[in-house]
Amino acid sequence: MSRRRILSAIVVAATNSFHSAAFLVPHKTANFSTQLKLSSNGPFPESKMGAGHGPFPYLCVFDLDACFWDQEMYTLSKICDSSNVVKGDLIGRGEGVVGVMSGRSKISLHMGSLIALQNHYDNKFDDMKVCFASSADTPLAEKIGRSALKLLEVVPGVSVWDLVVGRDWDGEDINQIGRQPP
């Protein structure tokens, strides 16, 4: 007998708190390990079908600006690069990139977003995939958003981009960031 699955995409607004992403935290039956387990998937843990207690959606879509992270890209002026990263604690998973600078403004993930992505990294949502949507209204805002995703880390050494685009979509950028087609 197959498990019932939610067949719709959902939008996660992790606005300033853990609570809005809490529904993406697996139930008590899941093992909340904070250990990095290397596998044949490179830096990603082996998939454990049914590791979480679902049903979970097939697709989780995060809105970026002032939801997934704490800034609005249209207000920023500089594309992020590796010379302007802020290192810090990734919620007990080690030290990694917790912020990136765009000029004098720091872009950081909201706590709920980071927790949800760490659980996704640990394969606690069965075979759910993640992607991003943003209505960034200028080409510069799009570039700033994409550059931040490529630098901010979920666990040490694994960026948000590596996890979502690299693992979930086999390197294909399917994200709708900005008002141009992906």
Side-chain angles (χ1 to χ4, degrees), residues 29-154:
T29 58
N31 175 17
F32 289 99
S33 168
T34 57
Q35 300 291 322
L36 174 64
K37 297 174 187 144
L38 295 179
S39 70
S40 59
N41 294 344
F44 304 110
E46 290 290 336
S47 178
K48 295 179 183 133
M49 191 60 151
H53 184 281
F56 297 111
Y58 284 118
L59 180 65
C60 174
V61 180
F62 282 95
D63 182 12
L64 293 177
D65 292 358
C67 292
F68 183 68
W69 49 40
D70 58 359
Q71 296 290 334
E72 294 274 358
M73 297 301 105
Y74 78 90
T75 66
L76 305 176
S77 59
K78 302 233 185 266
I79 296 171
C80 309
D81 64 48
S82 59
S83 67
N84 291 310
V85 299
V86 178
K87 297 270 189 156
D89 180 52
L90 292 167
I91 318 174
R93 303 285 291 252
E95 184 174 288
V97 179
V98 297
V100 292
M101 301 302 293
S102 174
R104 292 167 44 172
S105 300
K106 182 175 90 168
I107 304 166
S108 297
L109 299 179
H110 286 300
M111 181 73 67
S113 301
L114 181 55
I115 291 168
L117 285 181
Q118 286 178 340
N119 282 314
H120 179 57
Y121 172 85
D122 292 335
N123 291 305
K124 294 185 178 176
F125 305 124
D126 296 336
D127 57 351
M128 182 182 80
K129 292 185 177 189
V130 171
C131 67
F132 301 105
S134 176
S135 61
D137 58 357
T138 67
L140 178 60
E142 285 182 51
K143 290 176 184 171
I144 292 169
R146 288 177 192 279
S147 67
L149 290 170
K150 291 175 182 175
L151 294 167
L152 291 166
E153 292 182 337
V154 177

